[in-house]
Structures are given as structure tokens and as C-alpha cells.
Amino acid sequence: MTSIFTKIINREIPSEIVYETNDIIVIKDINPKAKIHLLIIPKKEIETIDHLEEDDRDLIANMFFVAKKVSSDLWITWWYKLHFNVWKAGWQEVMHLHLHLLSNM
Ligand code: AMP
């Protein structure tokens, strides 16, 4: 089943896109838990951290470098946190891997 994030990536449903590369998209969270709440999403549909494969190493590294770039663009380099929720018991609602970036600056 196509995830809601894949639909956003394919422009089938709207979203506020902040940044995009060949393999990653960054959007504003629709229900922000902080003044700035972004989602860093690989275009490849990986369900959870638990589903990562060896071939995903570069992709995951790229997600952190995108976090660095976006935080720098937003001038919040020193004031943010990153987190993954993992599986439903670990607060993950959307089963398409994503890294939360939150800041109250
Ligand atoms: P998680 O609980 O880690 O799976 O986080 C999923 C996040 O996706 C939540 O913070 C939601 O508010 C957010 N979200 C769900 N649907 C959308 C959407 N269409 N556009 C932007 N963010 C969304």
C-alpha cells in the first residue's frame, strides 16, 4: 500500500515542501509539536528503522546531512532535536521511515 508520504512525494496530495534531493524530501509536519517541526523522509518506502538493510546506509547518512543543511538554512543549528519513532509501540503512526526535526527557536 502506498504511504501518505509517498503520495506527498508524488504530488498526489499537497504538503509544504521545505527541501528536496534525489532521495529525500523534507516537509512541514501537518500537526507541529514545536515552533518548527519538519519531517525528513527518504523517498524509498522503508517502513521503520527495523526494516533497514545494508544498502540503506548511504540513504540514512544522507538524512542526517539533510538535517544539518536544513537546520543551517533555518538558523537553528544549535537549537533542535532529531528523533525517530519506531513501530506503533514506539509512537510511530506513519509506517514510512521519517526523521523528526523539532525546534522552539
Ligand atoms: P510518527 O508518529 O513518527 O509516525 O509521525 C508521523 C508524523 O506525520 C506526525 O507528526 C503527523 O503529524 C505527520 N503527518 C501525518 N500526515 C501528514 C501530512 N499529510 N503532511 C504532513 N505531516 C503529516
Side-chain angles (χ1 to χ4, degrees), residues 4-5 8 13-16 27-33 37 39 41 83-86 90-96 98 100:
I4 191 159
F5 292 157
I8 288 171
I13 60 170
S15 177
E16 283 196 68
I27 65 170
K28 289 190 182 175
D29 196 295
I30 205 166
N31 181 21
K33 320 290 188 302
H37 187 172
L39 302 172
I41 307 166
H83 78 265
F84 289 99
N85 294 325
V86 186
W91 296 277
Q92 184 175 354
E93 290 170 9
V94 177
M95 290 297 144
H96 180 150
H98 51 282
H100 291 259

mmCIF file of all heavy atoms in Angstrom, residues 4-5 8 13-16 27-33 37 39 41 83-86 90-96 98 100, ligand 1:
data_model
loop_
_atom_site.group_PDB
_atom_site.id
_atom_site.type_symbol
_atom_site.label_atom_id
_atom_site.label_comp_id
_atom_site.label_asym_id
_atom_site.label_seq_id
_atom_site.Cartn_x
_atom_site.Cartn_y
_atom_site.Cartn_z
ATOM 1 N N ILE A 4 1.247 7.608 2.882
ATOM 2 C CA ILE A 4 0.843 9.010 2.710
ATOM 3 C C ILE A 4 2.046 9.856 2.296
ATOM 4 O O ILE A 4 1.908 10.806 1.519
ATOM 5 C CB ILE A 4 0.161 9.545 3.986
ATOM 6 C CG1 ILE A 4 -0.485 10.889 3.706
ATOM 7 C CG2 ILE A 4 1.135 9.647 5.144
ATOM 8 C CD1 ILE A 4 -1.560 11.266 4.673
ATOM 9 N N PHE A 5 3.236 9.497 2.776
ATOM 10 C CA PHE A 5 4.421 10.279 2.409
ATOM 11 C C PHE A 5 4.798 10.050 0.948
ATOM 12 O O PHE A 5 5.257 10.980 0.276
ATOM 13 C CB PHE A 5 5.584 9.955 3.344
ATOM 14 C CG PHE A 5 5.381 10.415 4.765
ATOM 15 C CD1 PHE A 5 6.071 9.830 5.818
ATOM 16 C CD2 PHE A 5 4.509 11.455 5.060
ATOM 17 C CE1 PHE A 5 5.897 10.256 7.126
ATOM 18 C CE2 PHE A 5 4.314 11.887 6.366
ATOM 19 C CZ PHE A 5 5.007 11.279 7.401
ATOM 20 N N ILE A 8 2.713 12.276 -1.011
ATOM 21 C CA ILE A 8 3.247 13.649 -0.978
ATOM 22 C C ILE A 8 4.433 13.765 -1.936
ATOM 23 O O ILE A 8 4.525 14.723 -2.719
ATOM 24 C CB ILE A 8 3.641 14.028 0.468
ATOM 25 C CG1 ILE A 8 2.367 14.235 1.302
ATOM 26 C CG2 ILE A 8 4.536 15.259 0.490
ATOM 27 C CD1 ILE A 8 2.611 14.404 2.788
ATOM 28 N N ILE A 13 -0.923 14.341 -3.063
ATOM 29 C CA ILE A 13 -1.597 15.162 -2.054
ATOM 30 C C ILE A 13 -0.647 16.297 -1.680
ATOM 31 O O ILE A 13 0.568 16.147 -1.747
ATOM 32 C CB ILE A 13 -2.036 14.346 -0.809
ATOM 33 C CG1 ILE A 13 -0.839 13.691 -0.125
ATOM 34 C CG2 ILE A 13 -3.081 13.318 -1.150
ATOM 35 C CD1 ILE A 13 -1.216 13.091 1.215
ATOM 36 N N PRO A 14 -1.223 17.455 -1.301
ATOM 37 C CA PRO A 14 -0.382 18.628 -1.039
ATOM 38 C C PRO A 14 0.348 18.555 0.291
ATOM 39 O O PRO A 14 -0.091 17.871 1.222
ATOM 40 C CB PRO A 14 -1.393 19.784 -1.030
ATOM 41 C CG PRO A 14 -2.694 19.152 -0.675
ATOM 42 C CD PRO A 14 -2.658 17.731 -1.144
ATOM 43 N N SER A 15 1.452 19.276 0.345
ATOM 44 C CA SER A 15 2.209 19.395 1.589
ATOM 45 C C SER A 15 3.139 20.587 1.432
ATOM 46 O O SER A 15 3.404 21.033 0.318
ATOM 47 C CB SER A 15 3.024 18.122 1.813
ATOM 48 O OG SER A 15 3.811 18.251 2.968
ATOM 49 N N GLU A 16 3.612 21.101 2.560
ATOM 50 C CA GLU A 16 4.584 22.196 2.484
ATOM 51 C C GLU A 16 5.979 21.591 2.402
ATOM 52 O O GLU A 16 6.512 21.111 3.414
ATOM 53 C CB GLU A 16 4.463 23.100 3.706
ATOM 54 C CG GLU A 16 3.259 24.019 3.616
ATOM 55 C CD GLU A 16 3.361 25.150 4.619
ATOM 56 O OE1 GLU A 16 4.238 26.028 4.464
ATOM 57 O OE2 GLU A 16 2.576 25.135 5.571
ATOM 58 N N ILE A 27 9.421 17.960 4.668
ATOM 59 C CA ILE A 27 8.138 18.666 4.690
ATOM 60 C C ILE A 27 7.859 19.204 6.085
ATOM 61 O O ILE A 27 8.442 18.740 7.068
ATOM 62 C CB ILE A 27 6.974 17.746 4.246
ATOM 63 C CG1 ILE A 27 6.773 16.592 5.232
ATOM 64 C CG2 ILE A 27 7.188 17.246 2.824
ATOM 65 C CD1 ILE A 27 5.492 15.780 4.983
ATOM 66 N N LYS A 28 6.928 20.172 6.142
ATOM 67 C CA LYS A 28 6.458 20.638 7.454
ATOM 68 C C LYS A 28 5.450 19.637 7.985
ATOM 69 O O LYS A 28 4.552 19.198 7.243
ATOM 70 C CB LYS A 28 5.804 22.015 7.317
ATOM 71 C CG LYS A 28 6.792 23.111 7.026
ATOM 72 C CD LYS A 28 6.138 24.484 7.147
ATOM 73 C CE LYS A 28 7.141 25.554 6.790
ATOM 74 N NZ LYS A 28 6.560 26.914 6.768
ATOM 75 N N ASP A 29 5.583 19.289 9.262
ATOM 76 C CA ASP A 29 4.606 18.396 9.885
ATOM 77 C C ASP A 29 3.252 19.104 9.932
ATOM 78 O O ASP A 29 3.158 20.276 10.302
ATOM 79 C CB ASP A 29 5.063 18.003 11.296
ATOM 80 C CG ASP A 29 4.303 16.805 11.830
ATOM 81 O OD1 ASP A 29 3.071 16.916 12.044
ATOM 82 O OD2 ASP A 29 4.934 15.753 12.013
ATOM 83 N N ILE A 30 2.205 18.362 9.563
ATOM 84 C CA ILE A 30 0.865 18.947 9.488
ATOM 85 C C ILE A 30 0.320 19.279 10.881
ATOM 86 O O ILE A 30 -0.569 20.121 11.021
ATOM 87 C CB ILE A 30 -0.080 17.977 8.735
ATOM 88 C CG1 ILE A 30 -1.244 18.708 8.109
ATOM 89 C CG2 ILE A 30 -0.546 16.842 9.613
ATOM 90 C CD1 ILE A 30 -2.015 17.889 7.092
ATOM 91 N N ASN A 31 0.861 18.633 11.891
ATOM 92 C CA ASN A 31 0.392 18.832 13.268
ATOM 93 C C ASN A 31 1.613 19.096 14.155
ATOM 94 O O ASN A 31 2.016 18.253 14.956
ATOM 95 C CB ASN A 31 -0.368 17.579 13.712
ATOM 96 C CG ASN A 31 -0.911 17.709 15.109
ATOM 97 O OD1 ASN A 31 -1.077 18.812 15.635
ATOM 98 N ND2 ASN A 31 -1.172 16.573 15.746
ATOM 99 N N PRO A 32 2.209 20.299 14.011
ATOM 100 C CA PRO A 32 3.513 20.548 14.635
ATOM 101 C C PRO A 32 3.490 20.480 16.159
ATOM 102 O O PRO A 32 2.580 20.990 16.798
ATOM 103 C CB PRO A 32 3.875 21.960 14.154
ATOM 104 C CG PRO A 32 2.596 22.569 13.706
ATOM 105 C CD PRO A 32 1.705 21.464 13.283
ATOM 106 N N LYS A 33 4.523 19.838 16.716
ATOM 107 C CA LYS A 33 4.666 19.724 18.173
ATOM 108 C C LYS A 33 5.674 20.743 18.700
ATOM 109 O O LYS A 33 6.017 20.722 19.878
ATOM 110 C CB LYS A 33 5.143 18.314 18.562
ATOM 111 C CG LYS A 33 4.538 17.155 17.794
ATOM 112 C CD LYS A 33 3.089 16.907 18.094
ATOM 113 C CE LYS A 33 2.531 15.640 17.467
ATOM 114 N NZ LYS A 33 2.593 15.493 16.015
ATOM 115 N N HIS A 37 8.687 22.133 13.105
ATOM 116 C CA HIS A 37 8.578 20.662 13.154
ATOM 117 C C HIS A 37 8.588 20.159 11.712
ATOM 118 O O HIS A 37 7.613 20.314 10.980
ATOM 119 C CB HIS A 37 7.301 20.227 13.874
ATOM 120 C CG HIS A 37 7.219 18.753 14.098
ATOM 121 N ND1 HIS A 37 6.233 18.175 14.857
ATOM 122 C CD2 HIS A 37 7.991 17.709 13.661
ATOM 123 C CE1 HIS A 37 6.399 16.855 14.889
ATOM 124 N NE2 HIS A 37 7.455 16.557 14.155
ATOM 125 N N LEU A 39 9.735 16.986 8.870
ATOM 126 C CA LEU A 39 9.906 15.542 8.694
ATOM 127 C C LEU A 39 10.868 15.316 7.530
ATOM 128 O O LEU A 39 10.649 15.843 6.428
ATOM 129 C CB LEU A 39 8.561 14.881 8.387
ATOM 130 C CG LEU A 39 7.467 15.086 9.433
ATOM 131 C CD1 LEU A 39 6.124 14.541 8.930
ATOM 132 C CD2 LEU A 39 7.838 14.435 10.761
ATOM 133 N N ILE A 41 12.278 12.706 5.105
ATOM 134 C CA ILE A 41 11.683 11.441 4.653
ATOM 135 C C ILE A 41 12.459 10.889 3.450
ATOM 136 O O ILE A 41 12.598 11.592 2.434
ATOM 137 C CB ILE A 41 10.219 11.678 4.230
ATOM 138 C CG1 ILE A 41 9.438 12.370 5.347
ATOM 139 C CG2 ILE A 41 9.550 10.369 3.814
ATOM 140 C CD1 ILE A 41 8.090 12.933 4.897
ATOM 141 N N HIS A 83 14.548 12.994 16.122
ATOM 142 C CA HIS A 83 14.193 11.675 16.654
ATOM 143 C C HIS A 83 13.392 10.840 15.650
ATOM 144 O O HIS A 83 12.724 11.372 14.766
ATOM 145 C CB HIS A 83 13.441 11.775 17.987
ATOM 146 C CG HIS A 83 11.997 12.135 17.857
ATOM 147 N ND1 HIS A 83 11.530 13.413 17.952
ATOM 148 C CD2 HIS A 83 10.901 11.361 17.649
ATOM 149 C CE1 HIS A 83 10.221 13.420 17.814
ATOM 150 N NE2 HIS A 83 9.799 12.193 17.617
ATOM 151 N N PHE A 84 13.548 9.538 15.828
ATOM 152 C CA PHE A 84 12.740 8.564 15.095
ATOM 153 C C PHE A 84 11.781 7.909 16.081
ATOM 154 O O PHE A 84 12.191 7.527 17.192
ATOM 155 C CB PHE A 84 13.614 7.422 14.544
ATOM 156 C CG PHE A 84 14.522 7.776 13.406
ATOM 157 C CD1 PHE A 84 15.865 8.046 13.637
ATOM 158 C CD2 PHE A 84 14.058 7.791 12.103
ATOM 159 C CE1 PHE A 84 16.727 8.334 12.589
ATOM 160 C CE2 PHE A 84 14.912 8.077 11.045
ATOM 161 C CZ PHE A 84 16.251 8.352 11.277
ATOM 162 N N ASN A 85 10.550 7.732 15.698
ATOM 163 C CA ASN A 85 9.666 6.810 16.411
ATOM 164 C C ASN A 85 9.757 5.472 15.684
ATOM 165 O O ASN A 85 9.942 5.438 14.457
ATOM 166 C CB ASN A 85 8.226 7.334 16.397
ATOM 167 C CG ASN A 85 8.090 8.625 17.195
ATOM 168 O OD1 ASN A 85 8.766 8.803 18.212
ATOM 169 N ND2 ASN A 85 7.239 9.522 16.742
ATOM 170 N N VAL A 86 9.657 4.394 16.435
ATOM 171 C CA VAL A 86 9.860 3.073 15.825
ATOM 172 C C VAL A 86 8.743 2.113 16.224
ATOM 173 O O VAL A 86 8.590 1.801 17.418
ATOM 174 C CB VAL A 86 11.237 2.490 16.217
ATOM 175 C CG1 VAL A 86 11.496 1.196 15.458
ATOM 176 C CG2 VAL A 86 12.352 3.492 15.934
ATOM 177 N N GLY A 90 6.312 2.235 19.667
ATOM 178 C CA GLY A 90 7.321 3.289 19.833
ATOM 179 C C GLY A 90 6.839 4.601 19.240
ATOM 180 O O GLY A 90 7.647 5.411 18.787
ATOM 181 N N TRP A 91 5.524 4.808 19.219
ATOM 182 C CA TRP A 91 4.872 6.058 18.824
ATOM 183 C C TRP A 91 4.890 6.340 17.323
ATOM 184 O O TRP A 91 4.558 7.431 16.897
ATOM 185 C CB TRP A 91 5.453 7.260 19.589
ATOM 186 C CG TRP A 91 5.211 7.190 21.050
ATOM 187 C CD1 TRP A 91 4.080 7.575 21.718
ATOM 188 C CD2 TRP A 91 6.115 6.697 22.041
ATOM 189 N NE1 TRP A 91 4.232 7.329 23.059
ATOM 190 C CE2 TRP A 91 5.460 6.800 23.291
ATOM 191 C CE3 TRP A 91 7.405 6.177 21.994
ATOM 192 C CZ2 TRP A 91 6.066 6.400 24.480
ATOM 193 C CZ3 TRP A 91 8.002 5.774 23.180
ATOM 194 C CH2 TRP A 91 7.342 5.890 24.403
ATOM 195 N N GLN A 92 5.277 5.355 16.493
ATOM 196 C CA GLN A 92 5.272 5.606 15.047
ATOM 197 C C GLN A 92 3.870 5.377 14.497
ATOM 198 O O GLN A 92 3.295 4.300 14.677
ATOM 199 C CB GLN A 92 6.277 4.680 14.343
ATOM 200 C CG GLN A 92 6.393 4.968 12.843
ATOM 201 C CD GLN A 92 7.478 4.125 12.173
ATOM 202 O OE1 GLN A 92 8.229 3.403 12.812
ATOM 203 N NE2 GLN A 92 7.539 4.231 10.851
ATOM 204 N N GLU A 93 3.338 6.420 13.841
ATOM 205 C CA GLU A 93 1.987 6.320 13.264
ATOM 206 C C GLU A 93 2.037 6.070 11.770
ATOM 207 O O GLU A 93 1.205 5.342 11.232
ATOM 208 C CB GLU A 93 1.208 7.608 13.527
ATOM 209 C CG GLU A 93 0.843 7.794 14.989
ATOM 210 C CD GLU A 93 0.297 9.185 15.266
ATOM 211 O OE1 GLU A 93 0.043 9.936 14.312
ATOM 212 O OE2 GLU A 93 0.154 9.513 16.452
ATOM 213 N N VAL A 94 2.974 6.723 11.095
ATOM 214 C CA VAL A 94 3.087 6.569 9.645
ATOM 215 C C VAL A 94 4.211 5.570 9.361
ATOM 216 O O VAL A 94 5.368 5.811 9.714
ATOM 217 C CB VAL A 94 3.381 7.923 8.965
ATOM 218 C CG1 VAL A 94 3.567 7.735 7.465
ATOM 219 C CG2 VAL A 94 2.265 8.926 9.248
ATOM 220 N N MET A 95 3.843 4.475 8.721
ATOM 221 C CA MET A 95 4.808 3.392 8.503
ATOM 222 C C MET A 95 5.623 3.636 7.227
ATOM 223 O O MET A 95 5.617 2.820 6.293
ATOM 224 C CB MET A 95 4.075 2.045 8.452
ATOM 225 C CG MET A 95 3.529 1.634 9.799
ATOM 226 S SD MET A 95 4.857 1.384 11.002
ATOM 227 C CE MET A 95 4.081 1.980 12.479
ATOM 228 N N HIS A 96 6.236 4.777 7.191
ATOM 229 C CA HIS A 96 7.202 5.146 6.146
ATOM 230 C C HIS A 96 8.254 5.951 6.905
ATOM 231 O O HIS A 96 7.944 7.034 7.429
ATOM 232 C CB HIS A 96 6.502 5.968 5.049
ATOM 233 C CG HIS A 96 7.402 6.399 3.932
ATOM 234 N ND1 HIS A 96 6.940 6.584 2.636
ATOM 235 C CD2 HIS A 96 8.719 6.712 3.892
ATOM 236 C CE1 HIS A 96 7.942 6.969 1.868
ATOM 237 N NE2 HIS A 96 9.032 7.077 2.616
ATOM 238 N N HIS A 98 10.784 8.154 8.806
ATOM 239 C CA HIS A 98 10.947 9.608 8.781
ATOM 240 C C HIS A 98 11.662 10.045 10.054
ATOM 241 O O HIS A 98 11.451 9.479 11.125
ATOM 242 C CB HIS A 98 9.604 10.326 8.644
ATOM 243 C CG HIS A 98 8.577 9.875 9.633
ATOM 244 N ND1 HIS A 98 7.883 8.695 9.480
ATOM 245 C CD2 HIS A 98 8.151 10.419 10.795
ATOM 246 C CE1 HIS A 98 7.060 8.536 10.501
ATOM 247 N NE2 HIS A 98 7.211 9.563 11.324
ATOM 248 N N HIS A 100 12.146 13.097 12.624
ATOM 249 C CA HIS A 100 11.539 14.351 13.089
ATOM 250 C C HIS A 100 12.647 15.348 13.423
ATOM 251 O O HIS A 100 13.626 14.995 14.080
ATOM 252 C CB HIS A 100 10.732 14.109 14.369
ATOM 253 C CG HIS A 100 9.492 13.290 14.181
ATOM 254 N ND1 HIS A 100 8.241 13.839 14.100
ATOM 255 C CD2 HIS A 100 9.323 11.941 14.089
ATOM 256 C CE1 HIS A 100 7.345 12.869 13.966
ATOM 257 N NE2 HIS A 100 7.978 11.701 13.961
HETATM 258 P P1 AMP B 1 5.167 9.378 13.627
HETATM 259 O O1 AMP B 1 4.249 9.358 14.818
HETATM 260 O O2 AMP B 1 6.623 9.340 13.994
HETATM 261 O O3 AMP B 1 4.790 8.315 12.613
HETATM 262 O O4 AMP B 1 4.964 10.775 12.943
HETATM 263 C C1 AMP B 1 4.130 10.979 11.849
HETATM 264 C C2 AMP B 1 4.012 12.444 11.688
HETATM 265 O O5 AMP B 1 3.458 12.702 10.409
HETATM 266 C C3 AMP B 1 3.062 13.094 12.702
HETATM 267 O O6 AMP B 1 3.792 14.073 13.450
HETATM 268 C C4 AMP B 1 1.960 13.705 11.847
HETATM 269 O O7 AMP B 1 1.514 14.945 12.327
HETATM 270 C C5 AMP B 1 2.640 13.827 10.492
HETATM 271 N N1 AMP B 1 1.762 13.794 9.343
HETATM 272 C C6 AMP B 1 0.767 12.917 9.090
HETATM 273 N N2 AMP B 1 0.193 13.192 7.902
HETATM 274 C C7 AMP B 1 0.843 14.264 7.389
HETATM 275 C C8 AMP B 1 0.709 15.032 6.201
HETATM 276 N N3 AMP B 1 -0.214 14.759 5.270
HETATM 277 N N4 AMP B 1 1.544 16.066 5.997
HETATM 278 C C9 AMP B 1 2.489 16.374 6.930
HETATM 279 N N5 AMP B 1 2.668 15.687 8.071
HETATM 280 C C10 AMP B 1 1.841 14.649 8.313
#
